[in-house]
Amino acid sequence: MRNIVVAGNWKMNTHREEATSLIDGVLREAGNFGGVDVVLFPPYLFLDMAVQKCRKSGIGVGAQNAFYKKRGAYTGEISPVMLRDIGCDYVILGHSERRHYFDETNAIINKKMKSCLEAGLTPVLCIGETLTQRQQGKTFDILNDQIVYGLEGIDGSFIKKTIIAYEPVWAIGTGISASITKAQEAHEYIRKTIESFTDTEAAGQIRILYGGSVNTKNARELLEEDDIDGALVGGASLKPESFCEIVKSGKATSQPILGRTGYQR
Ligand code: PGA
């Protein structure tokens, strides 16, 4: 069975005061999140505070990126080991903004995946096609490459602990989310692709989130789909009210479903 995950990617937003009240606002509602795995991804600067505040609440905390080396002369970088040391459990890797603005390739992301898994972090591996790639009919080829190269050389026992986030680049921050049909179709493809090179256990257990303009209006119907196991929320995670409402949509859809791919959610 796959627990629904609702994760808030704050990106490069919030100052100390905003971050504090955002965490506090989410914590006030934490008692109503039963059954949903809620994770906050604040900027690095507020990770320690988030970990301290969220302790005992059941809410997870993670970083938006990590370098693949453990320590050393890498000015400006943060290692997976350092993140574990301050109590982070999760890390976002391969977000489209990292791929596009910081030239992260599948090979770099794969190194980061391995080193984060080795450190004991749960990676949220982001994949997704651009608008041009979709218009050229290349969506599935792009997803295939990002999955196969992103997970290359990683054992099935680690793959099932990984979380995938399907985030079509054209849907991120645009207010235009993928249609339910397009999203479910991509999620089904991702699960089948994972099955093709691992095993049915890993494919059945891995959680695949949707991301890209998720809001309080569309969350419920997206999360009702068989192979959509949660949401990676950007803009709408910056207000506790909208983020908590999305978590509650996740809770409302968290009953087991026997998916079209034949795997029980
Ligand atoms: P958005 O961002 O919800 O603002 O579209 C999602 C993401 O980039 O993770």
Side-chain angles (χ1 to χ4, degrees):
M1 197 178 142
R2 307 190 295 271
N3 253 14
I4 294 274
V5 183
V6 177
N9 175 12
W10 298 6
K11 309 192 181 186
M12 198 176 69
N13 291 300
T14 68
H15 292 166
R16 193 200 306 265
E17 229 178 276
E18 296 168 276
T20 309
S21 65
L22 185 43
I23 298 166
D24 289 345
V26 174
L27 279 172
R28 269 195 292 280
E29 291 285 330
N32 302 316
F33 292 168
V36 178
D37 293 344
V38 177
V39 189
L40 302 181
F41 290 95
Y44 282 135
L45 292 173
F46 308 125
L47 281 175
D48 197 19
M49 170 174 72
V51 167
Q52 300 307 327
K53 280 183 176 282
C54 293
R55 215 178 279 275
K56 296 189 190 144
S57 69
I59 295 176
V61 175
Q64 298 170 18
N65 179 34
F67 191 46
Y68 49 78
K69 293 284 189 180
K70 287 194 177 82
R71 62 160 63 221
Y74 304 100
T75 304
E77 293 297 324
I78 302 282
S79 82
V81 178
M82 293 156 97
L83 294 172
R84 272 309 276 161
D85 182 53
I86 64 154
C88 285
D89 290 319
Y90 297 85
V91 62
I92 294 176
L93 294 177
H95 190 281
S96 71
E97 287 146 19
R98 303 248 17 125
R99 292 179 191 261
H100 295 118
Y101 298 128
F102 303 97
D103 297 325
E104 287 197 12
T105 59
N106 287 326
I108 293 174
I109 294 160
N110 179 253
K111 282 188 185 180
K112 292 185 170 192
M113 284 288 301
K114 288 175 178 158
S115 111
C116 286
L117 281 162
E118 197 191 318
L121 291 165
T122 299
V124 178
L125 171 64
C126 300
I127 60 174
E129 80 288 0
T130 63
L131 185 59
T132 316
Q133 289 162 342
R134 177 162 283 270
Q135 285 164 343
Q136 292 171 341
K138 291 185 184 155
T139 299
F140 292 144
D141 293 342
I142 295 294
L143 295 181
N144 184 74
D145 280 4
Q146 292 177 340
I147 300 165
V148 172
Y149 295 117
L151 297 177
E152 193 172 30
I154 299 173
D155 190 71
S157 60
F158 275 132
I159 290 180
K160 67 184 180 196
K161 290 187 198 143
T162 297
I163 296 173
I164 305 279
Y166 169 60
E167 300 202 301
V169 180
W170 46 272
I172 296 177
T174 58
I176 307 162
S177 71
S179 67
I180 309 297
T181 323
K182 280 200 183 96
Q184 164 60 28
E185 188 183 61
H187 282 235
E188 205 171 317
Y189 176 81
I190 294 164
R191 199 175 303 284
K192 287 195 174 139
T193 305
I194 291 168
E195 185 187 30
S196 72
F197 65 88
T198 51
D199 51 66
T200 51
E201 200 196 335
Q205 286 187 19
I206 194 162
R207 286 171 302 171
I208 308 171
L209 318 186
Y210 170 79
S213 296
V214 174
N215 57 39
T216 52
K217 294 196 177 69
N218 60 19
R220 172 108 192 218
E221 45 174 5
L222 281 162
L223 297 178
E224 270 168 354
E225 286 300 309
D226 303 344
D227 287 295
I228 303 184
D229 307 315
L232 181 55
V233 188
S237 73
L238 295 173
K239 291 217 162 56
E241 302 76 25
S242 43
F243 183 66
C244 293
E245 206 178 315
I246 295 169
V247 176
K248 286 177 205 161
S249 308
K251 187 178 168 189
T253 61
S254 63
Q255 75 286 3
I257 306 175
L258 188 59
R260 256 168 272 177
T261 35
Y263 293 114
Q264 172 113 21
R265 183 175 97 191

